[in-house]
Amino acid sequence: MRITDTSDLWWKTAVVYCLDVETFMDWNDDGVGDFEGLAHRMDYLNELGITCLWLMPFYPSPGRDDGYDVSEYYGIDERLGNFGDFVEMIRMARDRGIRVIIDLVVNHTSDEHPWFVQSRSSRDNPYRDYYVWRDTPPRGKQDVVFPDVEDSVWELDETTGQYYLHHFYSFQPDLNVTNPKVRDEVAKIMGFWLELGVSGFRVDAVPFLIDPTGVEHAEGALEDPLDFLKSLRAFLGRRSGDAIMLGEANLPHREQVRYFGGRDADGLTMQFDFIAMQNLYLSLARGDARPLTKALRGRPRIAVEAQWANFVRNHDELTLDKLSDEERQEVFAAFGPEPQQQVYGRGIVRRLPGMLGGDPRRIRMVYSLMFSLPGTPVLFYGEEIGMGEDTRVHDRTSVRTPMQWTNGPNGGFSNADPGALAAAIPDDGFSPAHVNASEQRHDPDSLLHFMKLLIHRYRASAELGWGELEILRQGSASVLVHTVSGGEGRMLALHNLAGDPVTTSFVLPDSGPDDVLVDLLVDGRTLTPGEGGKLSIPLDGYGYRWFRVLPTGSKRLG
Ligand code: NOJ
């Protein structure tokens, strides 16, 4: 059967909002956010207009990598609540049309996970093959993910005299997914959470998850590591009609196509576009739209069921690893010049507003651009109000401060003693006194109102999720003019990445003599293209415009 409705594949037009329960809202005032707090903020999220929540890990964990070191997959960190609270939260989300996806962290476990405790206890333990063991680390350099902290992906375990693989920290031993038992365990974990009502998973560290390093000629090993992803997707399809896998795979575009499962679309449902994100920052640093244009033009065609996830900032460092060394230095110089603002030689530990000097025009332009690109937008909590980072923290966690709800003590996140909070509250120009949700809700000129507008316009423009991108020729290097066209219609967007005003002239292709362009962000006024679709539109410094293109006789609302 053909896809008859644009919401048939809900993720194609979703607005995803990532949060960590631990830092979102503390309802029992112990200093740690909890599921009850999140449930009480469901109306806020609904009002914002998001349609899918992505929850960062909330499983029991020693917390040495902020929960990405799981010690029990069938549990909930007791500081955050219990299963009753979890299910209640899911119900409240669903009641408001919000789906919930959760982080699936199965490249590795914590070294405190009972499987690893068993595995390392002796060479003949039944769980030995749940992990990857070698007598000697294989020759040849293997890149470590956290070069400031680790110098090898192999760690000697004294008890049994062998090395185990850990792509990330040494307390995160990699699971051996060439072992069929481990693959079954992963499927069982997914099946469990699906039964509790989740709509899918943000799959952590996908390239590492399917990397068979260190496992040679293993019995049951998959011919093609991607088959593992595909088997999980097939399992997901059998257990749930609409659950998705949103993969974290920071790879060149052409490799991402394979991860999607190519034309068959039987791999990851969605993937973050790290390439476009990194080139966006290069474009911002230069005030020149061309790096981003090139990245977008280089996006390969993907199957209709697959989708790109667009983002500006996530919970990790702003990685710039896919830029050249010179390009990375340019972005560092523009947005994170201090050594303590940089990590791992590749990333910046700041949120967007700090990097842009708090310039509201520029911040809005960036989000306008992100929402106007074909794909599904993903927000990190606090972006909607322009939260900054904790400048006293010089690692990735600087951007994981508590959500700023009010200008009161602890930013309204908790009534606990400030020393007991899950993370400290920024005390600079981005502190709750300056940036908080409560005040912005009542201020029609606030960033929060602007983000709501973007979200609502995005949701009313299904072509942004489904359509084809075309970047139009025009004369200003600082400007990106693009259309996104699909079955639902066509959008035209203009963005000026530089601070000087500019008038951009271009031809709107396939434009009829009576087409009307309706402004979607400012005042709803209309424009009519000249002969042959000619347009000339002025943009302020860091200006942005969205137009709905309505052909003659269109019944679509402007
Ligand atoms: C990617 C996550 O986003 C990051 O926070 C984490 O440290 C690694 N994967 C390891 O799980």
Side-chain angles (χ1 to χ4, degrees):
M1 191 176 123
R2 281 163 54 87
I3 295 160
T4 53
D5 180 85
T6 50
S7 67
D8 198 11
L9 307 178
W10 64 267
W11 59 90
K12 298 276 294 187
T13 47
V15 179
V16 182
Y17 186 95
C18 167
L19 65 87
D20 190 350
V21 177
E22 188 179 357
T23 50
F24 198 60
M25 184 67 210
D26 174 18
W27 210 251
N28 64 1
D29 288 332
D30 63 352
V32 180
D34 40 47
F35 279 105
E36 214 184 334
L38 170 55
H40 278 93
R41 287 294 183 256
M42 210 53 87
D43 284 324
Y44 166 85
L45 295 170
N46 191 33
E47 198 180 289
L48 179 59
I50 60 112
T51 62
C52 176
L53 266 180
W54 151 24
L55 302 185
M56 287 167 65
F58 50 78
Y59 312 97
S61 159
R64 296 175 69 190
D65 183 13
D66 211 9
Y68 283 93
D69 47 335
V70 179
S71 55
E72 165 63 287
Y73 290 106
Y74 301 107
I76 288 177
D77 178 340
E78 60 185 20
R79 298 170 312 146
L80 313 184
N82 58 31
F83 278 109
D85 301 318
F86 179 85
V87 170
E88 190 62 8
M89 178 279 301
I90 295 265
R91 185 198 64 79
M92 290 180 68
R94 186 182 293 152
D95 204 37
R96 289 156 180 78
I98 297 174
R99 289 180 164 87
V100 179
I101 65 171
I102 61 174
D103 238 294
L104 180 72
V105 190
V106 287
N107 167 67
H108 47 265
T109 66
S110 156
D111 60 358
E112 293 184 25
H113 192 289
W115 294 338
F116 190 68
V117 174
Q118 289 284 326
S119 183
R120 78 191 322 182
S121 65
S122 74
R123 288 193 185 201
D124 57 6
N125 186 281
Y127 286 92
R128 188 70 172 175
D129 287 344
Y130 268 45
Y131 296 84
V132 184
W133 295 96
R134 290 284 290 257
D135 287 334
T136 47
R139 264 202 286 249
K141 188 170 146 25
Q142 265 212 281
D143 288 337
V144 291
V145 179
F146 300 129
D148 301 9
V149 189
E150 303 288 347
D151 54 16
S152 166
V153 297
W154 293 95
E155 181 81 4
L156 177 64
D157 195 42
E158 303 283 351
T159 322
T160 55
Q162 280 190 313
Y163 292 79
Y164 63 86
L165 178 68
H166 62 90
H167 277 107
F168 295 90
Y169 295 110
S170 59
F171 54 79
Q172 290 166 317
D174 276 33
L175 282 165
N176 173 14
V177 300
T178 68
N179 179 348
K181 284 192 197 149
V182 172
R183 297 203 295 270
D184 285 352
E185 297 276 14
V186 173
K188 210 195 312 181
I189 293 163
M190 293 168 81
F192 176 80
W193 291 100
L194 287 173
E195 290 300 318
L196 291 189
V198 307
S199 297
F201 304 89
R202 178 266 188 187
V203 189
D204 188 59
V206 180
F208 303 103
L209 169 65
I210 63 172
D211 174 15
T213 295
V215 194
E216 285 170 346
H217 317 299
E219 203 184 318
L222 295 161
E223 296 264 306
D224 177 355
L226 284 168
D227 286 347
F228 175 45
L229 275 190
K230 294 181 182 177
S231 71
L232 292 180
R233 178 71 188 278
F235 173 81
L236 207 59
R238 293 198 298 278
R239 292 291 173 93
S240 156
D242 71 348
I244 60 159
M245 296 201 296
L246 163 58
E248 184 210 19
N250 177 6
L251 294 172
H253 279 145
R254 63 180 181 284
E255 281 188 58
Q256 290 191 283
V257 175
R258 293 177 50 238
Y259 280 54
F260 278 127
R263 274 202 214 145
D264 295 337
D266 56 354
L268 294 169
T269 328
M270 288 213 273
Q271 289 182 69
F272 296 101
D273 189 345
F274 280 91
I275 303 296
M277 182 280 287
Q278 300 190 28
N279 280 284
L280 166 66
Y281 282 92
L282 184 59
S283 273
L284 292 172
R286 291 183 179 168
D288 182 338
R290 286 173 296 185
L292 176 62
T293 302
K294 190 169 168 222
L296 292 171
R297 286 213 166 109
R299 258 189 190 182
R301 187 175 281 278
I302 54 174
V304 69
E305 297 87 347
Q307 180 68 311
W308 297 107
N310 296 315
F311 68 112
V312 162
R313 201 60 188 86
N314 68 11
H315 60 287
D316 287 327
E317 78 280 6
L318 161 61
T319 183
L320 302 166
D321 67 329
K322 297 290 183 289
L323 300 180
S324 70
D325 291 347
E326 294 74 33
E327 292 168 342
R328 189 177 315 109
Q329 290 310 324
E330 276 183 67
V331 182
F332 278 162
F335 300 134
E338 307 297 331
Q340 68 270 19
Q341 294 169 335
Q342 302 168 12
V343 282
Y344 317 132
R346 63 165 184 254
I348 299 179
V349 294
R350 307 179 75 187
R351 280 184 180 248
L352 183 77
M355 290 191 276
L356 300 187
D359 183 340
R361 297 171 308 162
R362 220 172 166 193
I363 296 167
R364 287 171 198 223
M365 182 274 292
V366 172
Y367 287 110
S368 163
L369 178 52
M370 196 260 276
F371 274 88
S372 74
L373 295 179
T376 295
V378 181
L379 289 171
F380 180 47
Y381 76 93
E383 283 194 284
E384 73 275 23
I385 55 170
M387 270 170 54
E389 64 283 344
D390 187 345
T391 51
R392 299 157 298 189
V393 174
H394 304 138
D395 61 32
R396 296 181 299 163
T397 59
S398 60
V399 301
R400 303 181 192 175
T401 56
M403 177 67 187
Q404 296 174 190
W405 294 106
T406 70
N407 64 5
N410 298 332
F413 161 70
S414 169
N415 291 323
D417 186 88
L421 298 187
I425 311 266
D427 66 348
D428 59 3
F430 295 99
S431 72
H434 305 278
V435 177
N436 68 74
S438 179
E439 285 174 353
Q440 292 194 24
R441 283 180 77 214
H442 302 288
D443 175 1
D445 296 325
S446 63
L447 180 62
L448 180 61
H449 271 257
F450 179 69
M451 295 292 258
K452 278 185 198 171
L453 178 66
L454 286 180
I455 292 173
H456 287 271
R457 291 288 185 261
Y458 172 86
R459 289 182 56 187
S461 310
E463 63 267 44
L464 290 174
W466 288 80
E468 297 275 333
L469 172 73
E470 185 175 357
I471 296 176
L472 306 189
R473 282 179 175 281
Q474 45 78 45
S476 314
S478 68
V479 176
L480 178 73
V481 179
H482 69 279
T483 61
V484 187
S485 321
E488 287 291 296
R490 184 149 67 134
M491 286 270 319
L492 166 70
L494 291 81
H495 292 87
N496 180 7
L497 280 79
D500 294 327
V502 60
T503 294
T504 173
S505 303
F506 57 95
V507 170
L508 182 68
D510 309 318
S511 148
D514 300 317
D515 283 4
V516 172
L517 306 187
V518 185
D519 168 277
L520 291 182
L521 296 184
V522 184
D523 51 16
R525 287 214 211 153
T526 55
L527 279 182
T528 341
E531 205 181 317
K534 278 195 192 142
L535 282 159
S536 207
I537 300 179
L539 289 171
D540 294 337
Y542 304 122
Y544 45 87
R545 305 293 301 270
W546 287 27
F547 296 96
R548 177 145 358 274
V549 182
L550 295 180
T552 326
S554 169
K555 294 196 176 116
R556 198 167 183 208
L557 286 176

